Amino acid sequence: MHRDTVRRPDGTAGAYEHVAVGDGVRVVALDTDGQVLLVEDDFYLQGRRMVHLPGGGTDGEDQYRAALHELQEETGLTAAHVETLGVIDPLPGVTTARTHLVLVTDLRPGTMRWEGTEAGMTIHWRPLSDAVAAVRAGEITEAGSATALLLAALLHSDSPSAG
């Protein structure tokens, strides 16, 4: 947590509190049948389990390497194709951290490497359209996951094989 002394637009002095955290990544892993891989995990601050996309901090890696790292760590899968969906500033009033949104396809088995905080994580496959419905219903609420799923659905609906 940081507290900066700032000069407001009206010229008065003030303070601005913000959190310094690194950038993150969320991964839409889409199989050839249009199923998306979701994980469910306990979130301490929310006090509940949440369904979301695989992901985490980039730890200084580029977005593609971080996406593949998080995918394998949380799901045991690797991917041969990686592309950018976009990037968001999920909490611009609180942190400068950005979340990179990545789509991966051509999925292959790898080795799962859960960290201690991921104990109890479960994996679910859902049709992409069902995942989008879960965003609309408020079941998937994590900002990066919701945005990435909506962007993936837009991209998928524009692809020649989607029609």
Side-chain angles (χ1 to χ4, degrees):
M1 181 73 149
H2 297 276
R3 179 182 219 140
D4 294 341
T5 301
V6 297
R7 178 89 30 215
R8 295 185 181 118
D10 67 2
T12 60
Y16 195 90
E17 295 177 342
H18 58 97
V19 179
V21 294
D23 285 356
V25 64
R26 286 289 172 212
V27 183
V28 177
L30 196 60
D31 73 7
T32 55
D33 296 324
Q35 301 271 327
V36 66
L37 184 65
L38 299 166
V39 295
E40 186 175 352
D41 200 9
D42 295 301
F43 279 78
Y44 172 76
L45 292 176
Q46 285 70 27
R48 62 186 163 92
R49 289 182 68 77
M50 294 177 66
V51 175
H52 58 95
L53 292 170
T58 60
D59 296 329
E61 294 179 308
D62 71 57
Q63 66 199 32
Y64 302 119
R65 193 175 301 267
L68 293 172
H69 174 90
E70 290 293 336
L71 178 68
Q72 184 164 356
E73 180 180 289
E74 295 181 7
T75 71
L77 295 175
T78 63
H81 180 79
V82 184
E83 66 180 283
T84 298
L85 287 169
V87 62
I88 61 171
D89 295 301
L91 295 167
V94 177
T95 183
T96 60
R98 304 184 92 197
T99 302
H100 300 273
L101 310 174
V102 176
L103 174 69
V104 298
T105 55
D106 196 3
L107 304 172
R108 300 169 185 181
T111 305
M112 191 172 300
R113 300 182 310 241
W114 276 348
E115 294 180 349
T117 59
E118 294 158 340
M121 182 179 279
T122 56
I123 298 169
H124 309 274
W125 287 95
R126 283 193 192 175
L128 180 57
S129 60
D130 288 0
V132 169
V135 171
R136 292 183 54 116
E139 179 185 346
I140 297 175
T141 58
E142 190 275 321
S145 297
T147 306
L149 287 166
L150 295 173
L151 289 171
L154 283 173
L155 180 66
H156 188 69
S157 69
D158 290 342
S159 69
S161 62

